[in-house]
Amino acid sequence: MDKKYDFKNTEKALEHFWQENDIYKYRNGKEKKIFSIDTPPPTVSGKLHIGHVFSYTQAEMIARFKRMQGYDVFYPFGFDDNGLPTERLVEREEKIHANMLPRSAFRQKCTQTIKKYESEFKDLWKSLGFSVDWDLQYQTISDLSQRISQKSFLELAKNGKAYMKESPVLWCTECQTSIAQAELETRECETTFNYLNFETPKGSLLIATTRPELLAGCVCIFVHPDDERFKQYVGATAKVPLYGFDIPILTDESVATDKGTGAVMCATFGDSTDTEWCKKHHLPYKKIILQDGTIQPDIAHIGGMTVPKARAHVINLLKESGLLVKQESINHMVAIHERCGTAVEFIPSRQWYIDVLTEKERFLKAADEINWHPAHMKNRYRLWVENLKWDWCISRQRYFGVPFPVWYCKDCGTPIFAEESQLPVNPLETTPEKSCSCGCSEFIPETAVFDTWATSSVTPFINGHYQEPDDIMKEIFPMGMRCQAHEIIRTWAFYSIVKSLYHTGQIPWKDIMISGFVLAKPGEKISKSKNNASDSPQALVENHSADAIRYWAANSKLGTDTFFSEEDLKISKRFINKLYNASKFAIMQLHDFEKPESFDMENLLPIDRWILERVNETTITATGLLNDYEIGQARHEIDTLFWRDFCDYYIEIVKERLYQPEKHGASEQYSGQVALYHSLLGILKLYAIYTPYVTEYIYQDYFSAFEPEISLHSTTWKTWESSALHLAFGEHIKEVIGNVRREKTEKQMSMKDSIPQLLITCPRSPKLSKKFKEFYKKTELDLKACTAAEEIFIRG
């Protein structure tokens, strides 16, 4: 082994070695049982950051773990390269707006951009040592993905689960598209309650509103039926300030009597409550806000203005007219679009939906059939499903996405669905294969595209090539694991469960592994849109090594958020140095070692048996934790084995025996070599899932000459029934040595300074005492060398 570990050359060389030898290739379960992974396809919306590395690396470690448990691991990787996030990336980079170009020209720019980014993404994942079978790579905009996504829609439409309707929809005026409930976030904003008098035959009725720009859209005033303050007004009409038209005063039990004045103006549409009241009470619709966020041109005073300008102008007019009684500053929660931070509006339009409200109990039951890791994340899912208000709106008024396979009859407006043989189809470029049932053969194409989640939600089907000639759904479905971050439980997890149940009647995966965020500062996650990350992941890999970043990523408990600083990588680099140097020392002691085809552990010295038992015990513990996806806790168990038991104790205990066989005996040296060989190999296997490069380098440098597997990552973890006796002996001898070291430190002695005698007291149990005395007799020379004791006395 070289004097120093050169990660820059090593990592590149091993990346090629793994690829050339198909180390991570999925082999269709021909020889092994299958473990399939549904990996989140990263959104092509900008540069990747350390937060992506954190969550994706944790999932990759599970892929490696399962492979070393003897599974044929189906581990694909995809790219979510369609929809609004990608469009906004192109708009930023090209300094254009999508609507400035012909649709085909803009789609071409999107295609060119995603090629560049996907190449960068792939290079990063490869450099991080991801054990992906790249032959399984997919794109959500590919023909295969589009065909499966469109097929899903047609099947849902046929079964009555996908439908079209015209109604008020959540609308982003910045992105100029409809959005779904799952794409909402809330933000606390400072605004004003504006108190206005609405004149009625019964006198003035004081109302407080935060949206005076909607006065022209007022259709009603609501009060609570039990509110005695307003009994006299119910059934009367009120005149709208500034605009002078009359609206009815009605009652509704959902009015909050303690908010504002207790009397509420209903306009089309200020919020979701307005939409519900209008539907319930059959109120008329008045068009005020347009899809681009401006006011309808023919609205008096404010036509053509943006919403903020219209609001300010109306307030000024109310003040000038003496109609503004008072203003009161308040903080309230506003629904915003998660993609751009714009406050959403409710605007009537025709959209496509997937029915989720009628099946809520089914979706809640599905949560109990899935193993959630960590378990408390299931509550987030349940709360989301229980509080759903609307069906899933899946149509988006955008450009670069999967098209709806639908046309509308020019005469009667009936939707005409594409034939399955036409898929993937773009209705803007082709026509239906048959005429409408009314006889008309002219059609209007649907111009909307699918919500990106409508395609991402079928990643298990894309992976399985659902209903394609090479369908492998029976092999991989339900998938073994879904890995994702907690903020997309309400989107990717929920929508995938919806689609899977509707299409197959089964849950999409058995386990779901939920990772936390990397935070830039308390409460603020690192994200592409906020540009608040430190160095790029690629720069971090080049400067510090992939293994250093991977080791850091395995530091926290699953599902918890963490912080990142380059300073944290010092711990990783110290570990890699230690592993390399400890391995180099061990291999130097094995230069003349001849590995036996098999060996009897009973023939090993007790302390040699102990270190193998500790490796076995740690392997069993780590296996249990990793089966629960607790990557960080498993790593801490392995760290304890390596740093404390192997380096601090075992190597120090056997060092002289390995150096001086003439003093300790050739068979005793061989016992140490057998234990050193197998314990180090066992430790390398345990660390292989965390730091695949340095462990493979050590394996190739020495162990590959003795082991049948071409790569460390083709080996498996092996365990046996532990010997509690040898484990207890090891703990006892560590305590003895620890006491000696502590006493020397307190007396400011060197560890090499001799002590006249060492008194060892064995456990009181007669059975243990007898065995420990026997073990200590066999370990006496090792102990003398390790503690520099001139004499050792053992008592029971």
Side-chain angles (χ1 to χ4, degrees):
M1 290 175 70
D2 295 333
K3 187 174 181 181
K4 285 189 175 181
Y5 175 61
D6 176 10
F7 76 83
K8 290 192 175 183
N9 290 322
T10 298
E11 292 188 347
K12 271 293 171 199
L14 289 176
E15 189 183 311
H16 292 307
F17 170 76
W18 294 329
Q19 192 168 340
E20 287 167 7
N21 290 281
D22 289 335
I23 301 301
Y24 308 124
K25 188 167 184 61
Y26 171 64
R27 303 184 190 279
N28 299 94
K30 291 173 183 174
E31 298 175 2
K32 301 175 180 178
K33 52 191 176 179
I34 294 168
F35 185 82
S36 54
I37 300 173
D38 188 15
T39 315
T43 306
V44 182
S45 58
K47 299 285 187 181
L48 295 174
H49 52 69
I50 194 66
H52 295 102
V53 171
F54 176 67
S55 57
Y56 280 89
T57 301
Q58 288 185 342
E60 196 277 340
M61 290 168 184
I62 294 297
R64 287 186 174 279
F65 165 68
K66 291 294 183 179
R67 201 174 284 111
M68 296 185 86
Q69 297 304 297
Y71 286 94
D72 186 2
V73 176
F74 178 89
Y75 185 29
F77 220 92
F79 299 98
D80 195 6
D81 50 12
N82 78 92
L84 183 58
T86 301
E87 287 188 25
R88 292 185 69 82
L89 168 65
V90 174
E91 288 176 329
R92 285 196 309 272
E93 291 214 340
E94 299 286 336
K95 295 181 173 54
I96 57 172
H97 284 288
N99 57 12
M100 293 166 54
L101 299 175
R103 183 183 288 253
S104 58
F106 182 72
R107 287 176 66 90
Q108 182 60 35
K109 284 189 176 293
C110 290
T111 302
Q112 291 167 354
T113 301
I114 63 174
K115 280 182 183 175
K116 179 185 74 169
Y117 276 92
E118 286 172 9
S119 176
E120 290 177 7
F121 285 13
K122 187 174 178 178
D123 287 346
L124 173 63
W125 301 135
K126 281 186 168 183
S127 71
L128 282 162
F130 276 25
S131 57
V132 168
D133 180 349
W134 290 103
D135 290 339
L136 305 175
Q137 179 182 323
Y138 65 89
Q139 298 169 290
T140 59
I141 200 65
S142 71
D143 283 354
L144 170 69
S145 297
Q146 290 196 50
R147 186 162 54 247
I148 290 171
S149 186
Q150 289 181 337
K151 200 183 301 180
S152 164
F153 169 76
L154 292 175
E155 192 176 314
L156 294 174
K158 181 181 177 182
N159 295 331
K161 289 300 181 185
Y163 65 92
M164 179 186 65
K165 72 172 181 179
E166 182 149 353
S167 65
V169 66
L170 292 163
W171 189 271
C172 176
T173 56
E174 170 65 24
C175 301
Q176 293 192 36
T177 183
S178 58
I179 60 174
Q181 183 181 348
E183 295 168 80
L184 293 180
E185 289 181 352
T186 54
R187 180 172 63 202
E188 188 175 47
C189 297
E190 186 177 337
T191 187
T192 56
F193 252 149
N194 301 283
Y195 288 80
L196 319 173
N197 273 323
F198 283 64
E199 298 302 327
T200 80
K202 304 290 185 179
S204 297
L205 183 58
L206 189 64
I207 287 177
T209 178
T210 60
R211 303 211 58 179
E213 73 277 11
L214 291 177
L215 281 173
C218 279
V219 290
C220 189
I221 289 173
F222 283 102
V223 296
H224 195 281
D226 298 332
D227 196 330
E228 295 294 334
R229 295 174 295 172
F230 304 114
K231 290 280 189 185
Q232 59 179 321
Y233 296 100
V234 176
T237 59
K239 200 171 290 294
V240 177
L242 277 187
Y243 292 92
F245 58 85
D246 291 334
I247 55 173
I249 302 170
L250 303 177
T251 63
D252 194 283
E253 291 183 348
S254 62
V255 174
T257 57
D258 58 346
K259 185 177 179 181
T261 65
V264 187
M265 87 178 200
C266 173
T268 55
F269 293 101
D271 56 22
S272 61
T273 305
D274 284 347
T275 68
E276 291 161 11
W277 282 339
C278 286
K279 183 178 179 181
K280 178 179 177 182
H281 296 278
H282 307 288
L283 298 170
Y285 169 62
K286 294 184 177 182
K287 184 185 277 191
I288 304 298
I289 300 174
L290 302 181
Q291 293 181 351
D292 64 358
T294 62
I295 304 298
Q296 174 82 2
D298 60 0
I299 301 298
H301 309 302
I302 55 174
M305 294 183 182
T306 62
V307 168
K309 286 183 179 178
R311 184 176 305 166
H313 189 61
V314 168
I315 289 173
N316 284 333
L317 289 175
L318 290 169
K319 286 178 180 176
E320 291 169 2
S321 305
L323 297 171
L324 186 62
V325 177
K326 66 172 182 175
Q327 287 184 297
E328 183 180 283
S329 293
I330 62 165
N331 288 323
H332 75 148
M333 304 306 291
V334 174
I336 61 170
H337 185 194
E338 64 172 358
R339 294 288 182 193
C340 63
T342 303
V344 298
E345 301 289 353
F346 284 85
I347 294 178
S349 64
R350 187 186 69 181
Q351 303 292 341
W352 283 93
Y353 296 84
I354 291 178
D355 168 23
V356 293
L357 294 181
T358 63
E359 301 274 8
K360 285 168 75 167
E361 285 306 314
R362 189 180 182 190
F363 304 143
L364 289 168
K365 184 182 176 186
D368 296 329
E369 298 172 20
I370 295 167
N371 301 310
W372 294 77
H373 301 277
H376 70 265
M377 289 295 178
K378 181 166 76 171
N379 293 332
R380 293 197 185 194
Y381 172 88
R382 292 189 64 87
L383 283 170
W384 174 252
V385 176
E386 288 166 356
N387 289 286
L388 279 170
K389 293 181 180 179
W390 305 293
D391 281 336
W392 175 16
C393 178
I394 59 167
S395 46
R396 297 291 179 271
Q397 287 61 51
R398 298 300 299 184
Y399 307 89
F400 191 60
V402 179
F404 276 80
V406 179
W407 301 262
Y408 303 97
C409 175
K410 190 173 182 180
D411 284 354
C412 68
T414 300
I416 308 295
F417 298 102
E419 299 296 322
E420 194 170 311
S421 59
Q422 290 181 274
L423 307 182
V425 65
N426 184 346
L428 294 169
E429 297 171 357
T430 108
T431 56
E433 292 186 343
K434 60 186 178 183
S435 300
C436 178
S437 57
C438 75
C440 178
S441 58
E442 290 187 75
F443 305 98
I444 300 168
E446 173 61 80
T447 57
V449 296
F450 287 147
D451 167 19
T452 187
W453 292 114
T455 301
S456 301
S457 59
V458 293
T459 51
F461 298 85
I462 295 170
N463 286 321
H465 290 212
Y466 179 64
Q467 295 182 359
E468 295 288 307
D470 55 349
D471 187 322
I472 59 167
M473 290 291 285
K474 286 183 180 177
E475 280 181 28
I476 67 165
F477 189 87
M479 301 192 81
M481 175 188 83
R482 151 71 66 85
C483 47
Q484 63 167 78
H486 55 66
E487 93 277 16
I488 52 173
I489 289 173
R490 65 185 187 182
T491 49
W492 197 36
F494 173 62
Y495 293 149
S496 297
I497 290 169
V498 168
K499 288 283 193 87
S500 182
L501 290 176
Y502 280 167
H503 290 302
T504 71
Q506 295 178 274
I507 54 174
W509 357 264
K510 297 164 189 171
D511 296 349
I512 184 166
M513 170 190 177
I514 309 289
S515 61
F517 287 144
V518 177
L519 302 176
K521 57 186 179 182
E524 180 181 300
K525 75 162 186 168
I526 290 177
S527 71
K528 284 179 276 193
S529 60
K530 292 177 181 174
N531 194 29
N532 55 0
S534 55
D535 277 0
S536 73
Q538 198 62 58
L540 292 170
V541 169
E542 289 168 5
N543 293 330
H544 301 286
S545 82
D547 280 343
I549 294 166
R550 291 175 62 99
Y551 188 80
W552 162 81
N555 193 46
S556 60
K557 187 173 172 59
L558 182 65
T560 58
D561 297 340
T562 189
F563 293 93
F564 173 74
S565 162
E566 278 194 67
E567 285 293 305
D568 298 334
L569 298 180
K570 287 182 178 178
I571 296 170
S572 301
K573 290 157 91 170
R574 178 171 167 254
F575 157 72
I576 292 166
N577 252 358
K578 184 72 172 179
L579 180 64
Y580 186 78
N581 289 332
S583 299
K584 188 166 66 171
F585 169 81
I587 289 168
M588 284 171 61
Q589 313 315 312
L590 297 171
H591 66 94
D592 59 348
F593 174 64
E594 293 183 11
K595 183 194 171 192
E597 287 188 16
S598 62
F599 66 93
D600 187 347
M601 295 242 283
E602 295 298 328
N603 293 333
L604 298 179
L605 290 176
I607 199 65
D608 298 330
R609 171 78 179 269
W610 163 72
I611 193 60
L612 293 179
E613 291 291 349
R614 273 294 291 126
V615 173
N616 178 63
E617 180 184 43
T618 302
T619 304
I620 292 169
T621 302
T623 299
L625 289 167
L626 288 163
N627 279 329
D628 283 335
Y629 301 91
E630 286 295 351
I631 294 155
Q633 290 185 54
R635 199 208 84 187
H636 292 311
E637 291 288 335
I638 300 165
D639 284 344
T640 299
L641 164 70
F642 171 65
W643 286 94
R644 186 168 172 78
D645 295 325
F646 185 74
C647 294
D648 289 354
Y649 285 98
Y650 181 67
I651 284 179
E652 293 302 318
I653 291 169
V654 301
K655 192 158 48 178
E656 187 185 271
R657 176 155 45 103
L658 295 168
Y659 286 157
Q660 301 180 36
E662 67 281 0
K663 177 179 177 181
H664 290 260
S667 63
E668 283 78 5
Q669 181 199 42
Y670 189 69
S671 172
Q673 287 178 318
V674 168
L676 195 61
Y677 179 96
H678 287 285
S679 59
L680 178 57
L681 179 58
I683 288 168
L684 291 176
K685 287 182 181 183
L686 290 172
Y687 275 129
I689 71 171
Y690 299 101
T691 53
Y693 287 109
V694 66
T695 51
E696 179 77 285
Y697 177 84
I698 296 164
Y699 182 86
Q700 293 300 328
D701 186 81
Y702 179 73
F703 291 96
S704 62
F706 299 92
E707 299 298 317
E709 293 85 2
I710 190 173
S711 166
L712 176 65
H713 305 297
S714 301
T715 66
T716 55
W717 293 9
K718 291 183 171 61
T719 58
W720 59 86
E721 189 175 341
S722 297
S723 166
L725 175 64
H726 287 86
L727 288 169
F729 173 67
E731 290 305 307
H732 195 272
I733 204 169
K734 278 160 56 181
E735 187 179 343
V736 169
I737 294 169
N739 288 336
V740 171
R741 289 172 175 172
R742 190 161 42 253
E743 190 172 332
K744 284 186 175 182
T745 299
E746 288 169 356
K747 292 179 178 179
Q748 297 184 328
M749 296 170 63
S750 163
M751 290 299 150
K752 294 179 180 178
D753 289 348
S754 64
I755 54 175
Q757 63 180 36
L758 173 62
L759 178 63
I760 299 172
T761 304
C762 292
R764 291 182 179 179
S765 160
K767 188 176 179 182
L768 272 184
S769 181
K770 182 181 178 183
K771 273 292 179 187
F772 275 30
K773 282 180 181 176
E774 178 188 323
F775 287 173
Y776 271 116
K777 283 292 180 187
K778 293 179 178 179
T779 315
E780 189 170 341
L781 280 179
D782 285 341
L783 263 180
K784 281 184 175 179
C786 180
T787 62
E790 293 172 5
E791 286 188 278
I792 294 179
F793 299 95
I794 304 163
R795 67 183 182 189

